[in-house]
Amino acid sequence: MKQPAEIAPANGKLGILLVGLGAVSTTFIAGVLAVRKGYALPIGSLTQMGTIRLGKRTEGRSPLIKELVPLANLDDLVFAGWDIFEDDCYEAATTAGVLERSLLDKVRPELEAIKPMPAVFDRRYVKRLDGPNVKKGANKFDLAEQVRADIRQFKADHKLSRLVMIWCGSTEIFMTESPAHRTIEDFEAALRANDLSIPSSMVYAYAALKEGIPYANGAPNLTADIPALMDLAQRNGSPITGKDFKTGQTLIKTVIAPGLKARLIGVKGWYSTNILGNRDGEVLDDPESFKTKEESKKSVLDYILQPDLYPQLYKDLCHVVRINYYPPRGDNKEGWDNIDLIGWLGYPMQLKINFLCRDSILAAPIVLDLVLLLDLAARSGWSGIQEWLSFYFKSPMHAPGLYPEHDLFIQLMKLKNTLRFLRGEELITHLGREYYD
């Protein structure tokens, strides 16, 4: 057994800064409040309900993850956020229509106390939304300084010891790296020049990383995954991780595709369509925002199936992704997949999956886990890319020159082995020979 890592204790209050107080954020906040009061269980949260095996199977040691590593307590979480709409969290949660009013009413006073700060917002990047609660500034650098001032004020007002920021806002238009993204000096000059290659999400990420705060991106926007901000995160001690929460259809793909590949079953085509009626669906109805989401969703199969290594099975795979905005569905998303398979001797088969899921119900426990695990990473002295948190993202961040790991089961093994490493426990290889030699 190795020596445990030095982890600063989780003393004091942990501030959670959420960009966007819509369906995902309000479902997360209301859920944490309900769990605190014993009204519900934190189902879907690895940090709250997951166990981790330690040592050999014969030892019978499988504590809860939250018993193995010193995570922040749910009672110590304090919430704040920005939004373009002025509704408090109770009003926003009611409008989102995810949680039943009977549950929201049990935590109504706490939700009503959380009012959104004016947001950094520009319709050039999210064309289907507009709202009145928006910051004004001389340029994007000025807006970033206003966000930094919000962060410091929140920390002082609530006497917080630590902070984490999560982007839970809408999907921005598709963007690629530009010269403004190369170095922090280039980036800050672009902020002052109101460069179009700096969307609102980058303003928030820059502000968080300048304050030394961990940051995660729940949408597929190009944001912290640029050289300038990755370098800033490393310099300022901020852990950063992937983008686009792995919920719904992509979650199912990262479960099914590894199984097909493990059995070397060929895939000729994979057609995916989504029906979604909430604000996210409305935003993705814009072709430029959909392009951002499409790139995130389509890359998953390429990396899992590795067509370069298995050309006979996967090289000519036809992968189609569609998202359809259908308002009557609200947050209740439907993901439908048709998979055309090739089996022994080239004989065709099919697999059809119809996942009637709830977008924010799947996303909320991801937000909770990321908040707690990013805080753990920061207290462990880690900064920059946290590849061990790939488990939660459609687009995991990774070191230059590496390919991202998308296999859900490999991702989970990586996450749990990282926690074992932190506590000085032996890593689990699943070799199994030690029981028979």
Side-chain angles (χ1 to χ4, degrees):
M1 188 179 293
K2 303 183 178 76
Q3 286 295 316
E6 291 287 338
I7 306 174
N11 295 333
K13 299 289 186 180
L14 173 62
I16 315 304
L17 289 156
L18 301 163
V19 186
L21 290 176
V24 171
S25 290
T26 57
T27 303
F28 159 64
I29 295 170
V32 171
L33 296 174
V35 171
R36 279 181 188 172
K37 292 174 178 287
Y39 298 138
L41 291 173
I43 295 172
S45 169
L46 192 66
T47 62
Q48 300 305 297
M49 301 189 77
T51 61
I52 181 168
R53 187 189 118 200
L54 304 177
K56 295 180 180 180
R57 282 179 280 167
T58 50
E59 294 178 35
R61 291 195 296 147
S62 293
L64 290 168
I65 286 172
K66 64 181 181 180
E67 295 171 350
L68 175 70
V69 290
L71 300 175
N73 191 288
L74 296 192
D75 290 333
D76 292 329
L77 304 187
V78 182
F79 309 99
W82 299 266
D83 202 282
I84 64 173
F85 300 107
E86 296 172 329
D87 295 348
D88 63 47
C89 274
Y90 178 80
E91 295 169 321
T94 302
T95 300
V98 179
L99 300 177
E100 294 178 358
R101 183 73 69 91
S102 58
L103 178 61
L104 293 176
D105 285 343
K106 291 179 179 178
V107 293
R108 181 170 182 168
E110 296 95 325
L111 290 174
E112 288 180 331
I114 304 169
K115 296 177 170 60
M117 295 176 280
V120 177
F121 181 75
D122 189 328
R123 284 201 73 192
R124 286 176 291 190
Y125 306 105
V126 182
K127 297 181 177 180
R128 295 295 173 95
L129 292 184
D130 201 8
N133 198 35
V134 177
K135 292 187 187 298
K136 307 293 183 186
N139 52 40
K140 294 177 182 180
F141 186 83
D142 180 29
L143 294 173
E145 289 298 300
Q146 291 182 45
V147 173
R148 294 181 69 186
D150 290 342
I151 293 170
R152 295 191 202 109
Q153 190 67 52
F154 173 55
K155 187 175 183 180
D157 288 348
H158 295 275
K159 297 180 173 58
L160 305 171
S161 61
R162 307 173 317 282
L163 295 159
V164 174
M165 184 187 290
I166 311 283
W167 173 276
C168 295
S170 296
T171 299
E172 295 173 327
I173 62 172
F174 182 71
M175 301 184 75
T176 56
E177 281 187 28
S178 79
H181 303 150
R182 286 183 299 208
T183 68
I184 195 59
E185 292 76 20
D186 292 331
F187 188 86
E188 289 178 341
L191 284 172
R192 290 188 170 92
N194 277 330
D195 194 311
L196 288 175
S197 64
I198 309 290
S200 304
S201 61
M202 286 187 188
V203 174
Y204 281 103
Y206 168 80
L209 301 179
K210 285 292 280 188
E211 294 295 314
I213 296 171
Y215 178 87
N217 181 9
N221 320 323
L222 183 71
T223 301
D225 49 329
I226 58 172
L229 294 185
M230 287 192 285
D231 180 57
L232 182 62
Q234 191 70 49
R235 275 199 253 168
N236 284 6
S238 297
I240 55 175
T241 183
K243 61 184 184 181
D244 205 3
F245 297 148
K246 192 192 299 189
T247 59
Q249 192 171 66
T250 307
L251 171 64
I252 296 302
K253 280 185 179 175
T254 60
V255 171
I256 299 297
L260 296 174
K261 181 189 170 189
R263 287 295 306 271
L264 296 178
I265 296 172
V267 182
K268 187 175 182 180
W270 197 310
Y271 179 88
S272 300
T273 189
N274 294 263
I275 301 171
L276 182 61
N278 62 11
R279 190 185 298 174
D280 194 31
E282 183 179 5
V283 168
L284 293 173
D285 205 34
D286 170 59
E288 291 185 79
S289 290
F290 171 69
K291 173 70 172 172
T292 307
K293 177 68 79 171
E294 182 183 34
E295 291 296 313
S296 174
K297 291 170 78 73
K298 290 187 75 171
S299 65
V300 169
L301 290 184
D302 292 336
Y303 288 110
I304 291 177
L305 298 177
Q306 296 179 296
D308 291 343
L309 296 181
Y310 302 96
Q312 294 170 299
L313 300 177
Y314 310 117
K315 185 178 180 182
D316 297 321
L317 166 65
C318 176
H319 186 195
V320 178
V321 175
R322 296 285 183 265
I323 297 177
N324 300 287
Y325 177 49
Y326 183 55
R329 278 297 165 89
D331 198 67
N332 295 341
K333 181 167 66 175
E334 180 171 358
W336 185 81
D337 291 81
N338 175 80
I339 311 166
D340 287 286
L341 305 173
I342 304 169
W344 178 249
L345 307 180
Y347 276 72
M349 300 179 287
Q350 284 191 336
L351 177 62
K352 297 183 187 294
I353 303 168
N354 190 20
F355 189 22
L356 298 166
C357 60
R358 294 172 180 257
D359 201 43
S360 299
I361 293 296
L362 290 167
I366 291 179
V367 178
L368 176 58
D369 284 358
L370 286 171
V371 161
L372 299 181
L373 294 174
L374 283 169
D375 176 58
L376 176 69
R379 288 187 285 111
S380 302
W382 292 352
S383 61
I385 295 170
Q386 306 296 307
E387 191 180 339
W388 62 287
L389 296 177
S390 298
F391 179 73
Y392 297 104
F393 295 98
K394 294 186 185 78
S395 299
M397 292 180 76
H398 53 90
L402 295 182
Y403 65 84
E405 184 55 71
H406 282 283
D407 184 316
L408 187 75
F409 306 102
I410 295 176
Q411 290 174 333
L412 181 60
M413 188 184 300
K414 187 191 296 282
L415 190 157
K416 288 191 172 183
N417 267 338
T418 302
L419 298 178
R420 293 182 184 106
F421 171 80
L422 275 174
R423 302 312 290 153
E425 295 283 346
E426 293 297 325
L427 307 188
I428 302 296
T429 65
H430 299 287
L431 179 63
R433 284 305 313 166
E434 65 271 23
Y435 303 106
Y436 305 101
D437 288 338

